[in-house]
Amino acid sequence: MILGLGLALLAHQRVRGIGFFRTVFSSTVATSVAVASVMWITLLNPQIGLINYYLGTNIDLLTDPTWALVAVSATTVWLSLGVTFIVMSAGLQGVPEDMLEAATVDGAGPWMRFRKVTLPLLSPTLLFSLVVLTINAFQSFGQIDLLTQGGPNGKTDVIVYNLVQTSRQVPGRAAAQAVVLFLIIFTLTLVQLRFLERRVHYEGGVGG
Amino acid sequence: MGQVVLSGVTKRFDGLAAVDDLTLDVADREFLVLLGPSGCGKSTALRMIAGLEEIDEGTIWIGDRVVNDVEARDRDIAMVFQTYALYPHMTVAANIEFPLKARKVAPDERARLVTEAAETLGLSDLLDRRPAQLSGGQRQRVALARAIVRRPAVFLMDEPLSNLDAKLRVQTRAELVDLHRRLEATVIYVTHDQVEAMTMGSRIAILDQGVLQQVAPPQEVYERPANLFVARFIGNPPMNTMAGEVVQEGADVGVRLRGGTIPLPSGIAGVVRERDLAELIVGVRPEHVTMSADGFIEATVVVVESLGHERHVICDVAGPPFVIVRQSIDEQPPAEGDIVRLSTEADSLHVFEAETGERVDTDVPSGAAPT
Ligand SMILES: Nc1ncnc2c1ncn2[C@@H]1O[C@H](COP(=O)(O)OP(=O)(O)OP(=O)(O)O)[C@@H](O)[C@H]1O
Ligand SMILES: [Mg+2]
């Protein structure tokens, strides 16, 4: 579940230079988990799904033990894409135009401008996204319930889904799981903030 | 090598010309000031030279190269922005080093050049700081250091002093002029501040609504403004101007103004007669108006303002605008409400065609020779 980072990067790649697709990319925000899941069930379907069609394969991606988790992850990624996209766009708006122009005159090409100016100025946004998306990924439930119900063989039985199932039978155990989940997320977030904050530049900040 | 030539350069935004048919010849090592009111197209002109803005029409040369299709990074220019545009996440040293890194200069050479640029601008003790930890003046110097470190042939500066307080601005003005002398590079400097233009420029190019009005050394712009716009824009307090009809009495030609008739010097009178001009606007700078018993125009003193080193006597000449008289502090001030007579020397008179606003003059100096 290192999805958070993948997400941030994925959305970020798309953001670069393609203001054209803005609406399309943001549209997943407006899609509910249920709608998205149904859509993905169709896309992933071995007979009528576009994905198998383009891959030239005939796998039921949702019940295949190797692919189920990937398929569920893809759905989760897709679901978070809109929000990430919007957050990244907002972050990019915060990079002053004249700073990029200064870099242009200074002789930096597009790649150097991105790496040395845009990316550092975007780092607070990146950190924020990473933290939020990681938490989100840990808490995915709806899409799993609708797509795989934790199957096949518990391959997609991720923690929150498992927790909800357990709570129906052994509530005490579920409560304990919830605490553990909380601790995991808490620790992970703390670690992220701790290790990454040092590399993040905050505008006008004294340290760094 | 550092000359910049613009020929018929035009830039339109949504069909409206921000810079209109601009032709300008900036000599190598010149300090040329682009001056004009807000929105007149100064920044746009500068950005076209920098390569940050596409050109709609015309040609730009830098050195002996047409640069219309040359990328900003390959134009051998450096630019100082009004906001300084320092990279906030980098130290002062890294900011200064950035243009060298971008151009893949070897590390030890980079270190040497950064040290040198920092010394030139007195930043040696601040190299490890970040922009947020610097004062406005220090930031401005870092921006300058970042520009000079690579020794480009041409410097472009867009209102680099406008974010400094008044006192620091005066000091930095002098430092910039000194820096220009030491660097022996061409500077194109944008400002809307006429004091900066007058004190720094070897020549001033004045723009209004995207159209070039006059290019000349500061003194000439002041003494022989090419048209009414320049006449009114340059000078503080501004030139007094008044419209009137041409009147002829035998060989003498004068202009009838509110409050009296003012005779024209014979040279200009000749031109007026020859061109059969009927309506003129005459202008006199406040320091050239004197109060004397035999003055041409009658006026009432409205207010006397003392500035410590000089005095402004504001007079009503039977309606707006007021005429401003600049008086030395040793002279006897009139009292408010006094009736006075105003006069001026014939050669202090500026005469413009009422219709076009163009200067009426006997011989128009070419004004192109930069110093
Ligand atoms: N990117 C743009 N899109 C549309 N119009 C623009 C753009 N940039 C400038 N303009 C217009 O062009 C004209 C000239 O603008 P410019 O920035 O060159 O003025 P300026 O002389 O630098 O003014 P200031 O002293 O306020 O900086 C203005 O009317 C401005 O509104
Ligand atoms: Mg401007």
Side-chain angles (χ1 to χ4, degrees), chain A residues 98 101 103 106-107 116 120, chain B residues 47 73 83 86-89 103:
Chain A
D98 59 359
E101 288 180 348
D106 281 346
K116 298 285 185 184
Chain B
R47 292 165 53 81
R73 55 181 304 190
T83 55
L86 299 178
Y87 310 121
H89 53 289
R103 289 187 159 71

Side-chain angles (χ1 to χ4, degrees), chain B residues 267-302:
Chain B
I268 292 176
V271 178
V272 168
R273 216 177 301 134
E274 194 177 304
R275 294 177 53 193
D276 202 15
L277 300 169
E279 297 268 337
L280 295 177
I281 292 171
V282 292
V284 186
R285 296 221 175 265
E287 63 270 33
H288 295 141
V289 188
T290 48
M291 289 177 283
S292 61
D294 57 348
F296 314 105
I297 296 177
E298 193 180 87
T300 313
V301 175
V302 182

Side-chain angles (χ1 to χ4, degrees), chain B residues 13-14 18 36-45 53 82 158-159 190 192:
Chain B
F13 291 112
D14 313 317
S38 187
C40 71
K42 311 176 293 283
S43 296
T44 307
E53 206 84 70
Q82 181 175 350
D158 195 347
E159 313 213 16
V190 163
H192 62 260

